[in-house]
Amino acid sequence: MARLQFPDGFLWGTATAAHQVEGGNVNNDWWAFEHAPGTPCLESSGDGCDSWNRWPEDLDLVARLGFSVYRFSLEWSRIEPADGEWSLAALEHYRDICAGCYRRGIRPMVTFHHFTTPRWLADRGGWEAPDAPERFAVFCARVVESLGDVISYACTLNEPNIVALMGYGYGIFPPGVRDWERRRAVNDALCRAHRLAVDALRSGPGSFPVGLTLSMNDYQALPGGEERLEELRRDSEDVFLEACAGDDFIGVQNYSRARVDASGMLGPEKGVFVTQMGYEYWPQALAACVRRAAAVTGLPVIVTENGIGTADDAQRRAFVTEALAGLHRCMEEGVDVRGYIHWSLLDNFEWVLGYGPTFGLVAVDRVSFDRMPKPSATWLGEVARANRLEVGAGAAGGSGAAGGSGSSPS
């Protein structure tokens, strides 16, 4: 066994997102999409994990397991249920969560948009509305006015590339459009929204690092696929990495790899295990993504999501072990990596696939909402407390260091 020591101050955490765990978010575009005739969604988010009410229990879990960072998102449609109408009760609710983190020795990392948009803005065109970036910046400014002094880290947008790709390319996220030119226009709007949001969040009160989280792909080109790879990477990645200039960090989110030939993206390679999400089991992908994010942006990296959808908890531990070993190698090479946040704390609503895929360190009974930590939760918490990972000699020495990456909408 080899012991891989992480630097002092390294962030260890886990994450959730409002619509995936809170329950009852009926006033956003996703709730409408889940219930629309002919929806591709397998089921409704419904009560989620009842985290709107059980958030103290969730924070107790984070603290008891040994994590020092909790990444969670704000539900815009609760805070601004109608255009220009602000819910003081919702703002106070999220302030209570941030304060509850600090009381437990946890740093709150707050995501301001995690896939869901209020119905009032969706009805005006969502991210295609001419003033959508400005409306998002107003939301950010109003929130930071109320919560800025209790935020530790801020993420403006969660995976804006996935919002555009799945919503306007493949049509399996709201608004269900399949139009690649509209997808590119939404890319532009989201990049503008990020830049305006950064300025709004830095207006105070409070002072905290601000960044964007991106679903990263280290595309692997098969013979003849090099040009197509560059085209895909430009629209899905580079435009957003360029929009991060001047940020405090880049959040990397990764789950697998992607292969490309002249015709485009390919499915899983024969003989490679496929997870519940349909992705290849490819934990070495994380290191490739982190290296590229750091090289392109020049920013410090925080891994804001990484994990695996699996019913086999031993497989989860093996996947995360290899991913972390690769991350440690990146740091030995001089890449500035500040932390690792596992997706997710709870088994939760996995968007169009409903509650089938299980990414959580903690299982949730769908009737009682009881939380049941898995062995992987205890193990990863112990890694976090020790700030050290024990791995087999092969993994420590670079097994699987080459390879690609892919990402899932989480």
Side-chain angles (χ1 to χ4, degrees):
M1 297 295 291
R3 290 185 175 182
L4 306 182
Q5 189 70 42
F6 286 78
D8 292 345
F10 190 79
L11 304 175
W12 293 96
T14 187
T16 62
H19 194 71
Q20 294 178 268
V21 299
E22 284 183 348
N25 282 326
V26 303
N27 198 28
N28 65 40
D29 58 344
W30 259 96
W31 185 273
F33 192 65
E34 293 159 28
H35 293 83
T39 179
C41 296
L42 297 184
E43 58 186 316
S44 163
S45 55
D47 288 324
C49 300
D50 194 30
S51 289
W52 180 262
N53 299 306
R54 297 171 189 256
W55 65 264
E57 183 179 350
D58 293 341
L59 294 189
D60 288 343
L61 273 171
V62 173
R64 188 166 70 247
L65 290 172
F67 298 109
S68 60
V69 176
Y70 179 52
R71 178 176 172 241
F72 66 97
S73 74
L74 311 176
E75 178 54 41
W76 185 356
S77 69
R78 288 188 188 269
I79 294 172
E80 190 179 10
D83 189 358
E85 182 175 326
W86 304 98
S87 170
L88 300 181
L91 286 166
E92 188 64 22
H93 173 86
Y94 290 116
R95 185 177 180 85
D96 286 346
I97 294 177
C98 290
C101 284
Y102 284 114
R103 287 196 302 272
R104 294 166 174 83
I106 303 166
R107 283 178 271 192
M109 178 180 284
V110 179
T111 301
F112 282 71
H113 185 276
H114 197 124
F115 289 172
T116 59
T117 300
R119 284 196 185 194
W120 60 263
L121 183 56
D123 290 345
R124 288 170 37 197
W127 290 109
E128 293 182 293
D131 64 342
E134 286 75 14
R135 291 305 311 161
F136 180 60
V138 169
F139 164 70
C140 291
R142 181 64 185 86
V143 170
V144 82
E145 179 184 324
S146 295
L147 309 185
D149 61 320
V150 290
I151 291 174
S152 189
Y153 295 85
C155 306
T156 57
L157 299 161
N158 179 77
E159 299 182 344
N161 51 341
I162 294 296
V163 173
L165 177 66
M166 297 298 184
Y168 295 85
Y170 293 124
I172 57 172
F173 275 25
V177 170
R178 297 185 180 183
D179 186 320
W180 293 97
E181 289 306 312
R182 288 173 68 179
R183 177 254 184 134
R184 291 188 179 97
V186 169
N187 274 357
D188 293 342
L190 289 163
C191 287
R192 176 168 170 74
H194 169 66
R195 292 278 18 117
L196 293 174
V198 170
D199 291 341
L201 294 174
R202 286 176 172 168
S203 66
S207 178
F208 43 82
V210 181
L212 173 135
T213 80
L214 195 64
S215 176
M216 295 284 293
N217 281 329
D218 176 27
Y219 298 104
Q220 296 184 1
L222 275 66
E226 294 81 5
E227 184 175 346
R228 184 64 176 134
L229 181 154
E230 294 299 331
E231 292 173 357
L232 289 168
R233 190 160 60 188
R234 176 67 194 167
D235 284 341
S236 67
E237 209 171 276
D238 291 352
V239 294
F240 295 99
L241 293 174
E242 291 166 5
C244 293
D247 290 0
D248 299 305
F249 67 90
I250 176 67
V252 170
Q253 307 196 166
N254 167 259
Y255 294 87
S256 183
R257 68 167 177 173
R259 300 180 304 136
V260 182
D261 67 8
S263 64
M265 300 275 283
L266 299 174
E269 184 177 2
K270 185 177 180 180
V272 177
F273 180 83
V274 175
T275 72
Q276 290 173 329
M277 294 292 292
Y279 304 126
E280 292 175 302
Y281 181 97
W282 207 263
Q284 60 266 42
L286 180 62
C289 291
V290 166
R291 290 186 184 99
R292 184 166 196 271
V296 173
T297 66
L299 297 173
V301 173
I302 300 176
V303 177
T304 42
E305 285 187 22
N306 177 250
I308 180 174
T310 181
D312 182 346
D313 197 53
Q315 186 181 63
R316 174 172 293 104
R317 174 171 172 170
F319 182 96
V320 174
T321 295
E322 188 164 356
L324 285 173
L327 190 66
H328 191 270
R329 288 193 294 273
C330 289
M331 299 169 74
E332 288 182 320
E333 296 163 9
V335 180
D336 186 359
V337 183
R338 304 288 177 87
Y340 176 88
I341 297 173
H342 180 271
W343 182 268
S344 58
L345 174 64
L346 305 174
D347 287 341
N348 57 36
F349 179 71
E350 189 51 47
W351 307 107
V352 71
L353 296 179
Y355 289 96
T358 48
F359 282 87
L361 296 170
V362 177
V364 179
D365 186 285
R366 297 302 316 145
V367 176
S368 68
F369 301 111
D370 288 345
R371 274 71 164 144
M372 296 160 286
K374 304 172 187 178
S376 61
T378 302
W379 164 77
L380 189 56
E382 290 172 349
V383 170
R385 289 183 193 277
N387 203 30
R388 183 177 63 246
L389 175 71
E390 294 190 357
V391 298
S399 173
S405 69
S407 45
S408 77
S410 294

